[in-house]
Amino acid sequence: ESASLRLNRVIEAQGPLGVSRIEIRDGRVRVAADPSPRQLCVRQGWIPAGGAAVCLPNRVSVENAAAGYDTLNY
């Protein structure tokens, strides 16, 4: 799924462990909550432009591209 960083919102991405919550606020993006045990992608915080967060146990990734971001669920 692809979404613009212009609108504040929360997107829920379903993975094998449960739901990961991706937050878009003020033109920024982060993984706000994830059911993975170590919480590494949540601890990463706001993702810089061109950066990404990968929640491997839940198979969810978020990329902050120049024109927006993509979230993948596989």
Side-chain angles (χ1 to χ4, degrees):
E1 179 180 334
S2 196
S4 170
L5 296 177
R6 293 181 189 159
L7 299 174
N8 293 344
R9 68 177 107 189
V10 173
I11 297 171
E12 294 185 344
Q14 182 67 45
L17 298 180
V19 175
S20 294
R21 247 183 42 239
I22 291 87
E23 179 182 6
I24 301 171
R25 184 168 24 113
D26 301 328
R28 303 180 303 166
V29 63
R30 70 178 179 150
V31 178
D34 182 72
S36 300
R38 295 178 65 196
Q39 298 290 296
L40 295 177
C41 56
V42 174
R43 290 183 198 173
Q44 185 173 337
W46 296 104
I47 303 168
V54 181
C55 307
L56 288 177
N58 203 31
R59 298 182 184 167
V60 172
S61 67
V62 178
E63 178 185 350
N64 184 352
Y69 79 92
D70 296 319
T71 179
L72 304 173
N73 186 6
Y74 54 96

